[in-house]
Amino acid sequence: MTKIAAEVIIPHMFTAYAEDLGHRNTGLHHFQYFCEGCGQIFSSAWGRLPQSMHGYERGNYFTCPYCRVKHDKYVAYIERGAPAPDGARLVVKEYKTVVTLEVYSNTLEFNDYLGVYERQYKETFRFDIAKQSVSFTNYRTGIKQESIEIGNPFELDFFLKSILRFFCSNSLANAEQKSELNALLKVLRETVKSKLEKRLKHKVPSMFVSSGTYWGILLIPILNIAYRVACPDAPNLPAEYRGAPLDIRDFWRNKLIKKYRYMDRIMSKTRQKKDFLTALIENHSLPDKPLVRRILTEDPFAIKMLSTSFRLCKNYDHAISTFYGVRKMIDTWRHQDYDGIPKFLRAMKKLYGEAGVNRLVWESSELNMFDCARLYGQLNDENKKSLKEEPVKLRDLHDWMSLQHKRQTHVNVKFTVPDYIVKRLSMQRSRLKFFLPEESMQLLEAGHELHNCVAAYGDNMKDNKLWIVLVADDTGRLAACLGIRGKELIEAKLDRNMPVSSNVKLNSEILDWAKYANIKINTSDVKVTSKKESKEAVPA
């Protein structure tokens, strides 16, 4: 017997729809638009943004030439052939051991220049409580397109396949019927929870999570319910899931998580009524001890940091200490690349033992561990063999590898930094000259002059993943090197890796350069002077 537990009808989702047509024959940036009010389709060309390095206007604010309605909020920007909802009906249905969320919609899509196509669309989220599994299925004009299982917190593909991604901040549904949608979510959540408790014969913690803004009002809560159906005693998804895709991937990366298949094995165990923590511990061959359980209770996504620490250290105390050291290191150096760290630590364990590994992670800043890992990965076999044979102390490891790296045969590589980056970052400011190296040999020479390993950033410069800006004084002598990623300054070093903040005058001049270049300071290497401090510094 079917029971309709909740229903919401959305008469209109947007006031207009737009497709980016790119730069057409005229060289201008074109969009085509469909006005929901009058049903007319039209196109418009947009010029270049004033003082912009990034190209053309998006065309967010426009007026329909037919009905003269101005569109500035509720516009859906879609790609060719991608359906967007023109109204929707959401229904929560309750069965004996199944709960479904069904979404019905008429959709619009641009299928040609000045051509709009209408379709019938449906998708179903099926919460099978008896099997503790959740599936997502979608249909277009009655034809089944895809059916996938959801609930694994590392598999987010269905976010981009579901029409629910349009229930975002710029939709009429979110603006005018948010309370109704939240009420529907509550019914879905409580109905699933009640049936799950009945099956398990015990209480299940709350499944409520906030939806955030990026993914719309529905998708994050639905993923969380699906996750908790498979793992009833797991904590809810963390707040980072409310962010953009890159924010979520950075969250995983900062937990050292690269391969996600382990979660399928965990969910298989929890469906067999094994508790979540035991499934995590057994899957990663960790000791089932109170402290291990406490760590995973507080943060189950720390599992890879914990398992990596226990693979590095056989001694329990060393492993736990290494875990806390790794966690502190990552919290401190979030912008660094951790991919090579486990491999580097395994290599260093052979030279310095578990105590040395522990010291490396706890003193990562003082020992320049990230530079050490990068340098070690670039040393040739001869130098790696020398490291095993020479009694290099940990405190001298960075300088030793930096020297060996410079001595290796250097193949000069030309850098092809985009012109707009060069123009933005290169300039003469007061007594200082800011410039980007044109080839890797310049980086090698800069590293030799400043006694650091900036030459190891050659590959990043070549691939435009990071830009090095060299700073020379009025005598031509290098004074500092700066690391820029995107629009952020992430490193600023003087001679021998001293932070720029240790030189008050140079710190001020680099702040002046960053402000002029529109670069955000995202490093403790530079001291940002507050307005209050600036006023206090002015003599009466």
Side-chain angles (χ1 to χ4, degrees), residues 9-22:
I9 296 176
I10 313 292
H12 295 291
M13 286 290 294
F14 301 96
T15 63
Y17 300 80
E19 180 194 4
D20 186 345
L21 298 175

Side-chain angles (χ1 to χ4, degrees), residues 368 450-452 479-481 491-503 506 524-526:
N368 292 306
L450 292 173
H451 305 95
N452 63 27
C481 60
E491 278 191 291
K493 302 295 186 183
L494 304 176
D495 187 27
R496 302 185 186 278
N497 279 320
M498 289 293 291
V500 162
S501 58
S502 62
N503 184 318
L506 196 56
S524 58
D525 290 341
V526 177

Side-chain angles (χ1 to χ4, degrees), residues 331-346:
D331 285 343
T332 305
W333 304 99
R334 285 185 174 272
H335 63 271
Q336 291 286 358
D337 184 0
Y338 314 115
D339 288 351
I341 293 300
K343 182 178 180 180
F344 171 68
L345 291 177
R346 286 194 295 272

Side-chain angles (χ1 to χ4, degrees), residues 55-306:
Y56 292 81
E57 294 179 3
R58 180 177 169 83
N60 299 60
Y61 306 97
F62 58 94
T63 299
C64 175
Y66 296 94
C67 64
R68 307 309 300 170
V69 170
K70 183 178 180 181
H71 299 279
D72 57 2
K73 283 189 192 175
Y74 308 116
V75 181
Y77 288 85
I78 54 179
E79 296 179 358
R80 178 69 56 88
D86 177 27
R89 174 174 171 255
L90 286 70
V91 186
V92 175
K93 294 182 180 179
E94 180 181 353
Y95 303 83
K96 184 176 181 181
T97 60
V98 171
V99 181
T100 64
L101 170 61
E102 298 176 5
V103 184
Y104 302 86
S105 177
N106 294 319
T107 61
L108 294 171
E109 63 185 69
F110 292 100
N111 62 349
D112 200 353
Y113 179 61
L114 299 182
V116 174
Y117 193 84
E118 295 187 17
R119 296 178 186 269
Q120 294 290 317
Y121 179 89
K122 176 188 175 183
E123 66 186 35
T124 301
F125 295 88
R126 188 175 191 273
F127 300 81
D128 190 328
I129 308 303
K131 295 180 180 179
Q132 286 184 239
S133 67
V134 182
S135 63
F136 164 78
T137 307
N138 58 0
Y139 305 82
R140 292 174 73 177
T141 58
I143 300 173
K144 183 177 177 179
Q145 301 295 306
E146 191 170 20
S147 184
I148 57 175
E149 184 176 329
I150 65 173
N152 186 329
F154 298 112
E155 294 176 357
L156 308 180
D157 289 349
F158 86 94
F159 280 10
L160 299 177
K161 298 172 182 178
S162 172
I163 206 86
L164 296 183
R165 70 187 183 278
F166 287 98
F167 284 71
C168 49
S169 58
N170 70 321
S171 71
L172 288 166
N174 189 78
E176 298 176 356
Q177 295 177 258
K178 187 173 183 179
S179 60
E180 295 176 60
L181 291 169
N182 279 326
L184 178 135
L185 267 178
K186 183 177 180 180
V187 170
L188 175 66
R189 184 172 62 245
E190 294 301 326
T191 305
V192 169
K193 182 174 178 287
S194 175
K195 289 186 179 295
L196 188 59
E197 289 177 339
K198 185 175 180 180
R199 177 182 187 272
L200 299 174
K201 297 180 173 59
H202 63 73
K203 292 289 184 182
V204 172
S206 171
M207 294 180 172
F208 173 80
V209 293
S210 176
S211 58
T213 56
Y214 187 88
W215 296 106
I217 195 171
L218 298 166
L219 284 173
I220 294 296
I222 288 173
L223 174 62
N224 186 66
I225 296 170
Y227 169 50
R228 293 289 309 287
V229 165
C231 305
D233 60 331
N236 291 320
L237 294 175
E240 285 81 1
Y241 271 71
R242 292 177 285 178
L246 286 178
D247 296 329
I248 299 175
R249 288 186 175 87
D250 281 346
F251 170 72
W252 296 341
R253 172 178 163 274
N254 290 337
K255 301 292 184 182
L256 299 185
I257 296 174
K258 287 183 66 179
K259 298 179 180 178
Y260 315 127
R261 291 189 178 181
Y262 78 87
M263 199 62 215
D264 289 328
R265 297 192 294 271
I266 301 300
M267 293 166 72
S268 177
K269 290 176 182 288
T270 55
R271 286 176 179 135
Q272 298 169 25
K273 297 190 176 181
K274 180 157 287 190
D275 73 89
F276 182 62
L277 291 186
T278 300
L280 279 174
I281 289 168
E282 288 182 358
N283 186 72
H284 290 82
S285 302
L286 296 174
D288 194 348
K289 294 192 174 184
L291 184 53
V292 171
R293 282 186 169 267
R294 189 172 78 192
I295 290 169
L296 293 175
T297 299
E298 294 172 355
D299 181 9
F301 285 90
I303 185 67
K304 295 302 288 187
M305 282 193 283
L306 196 57

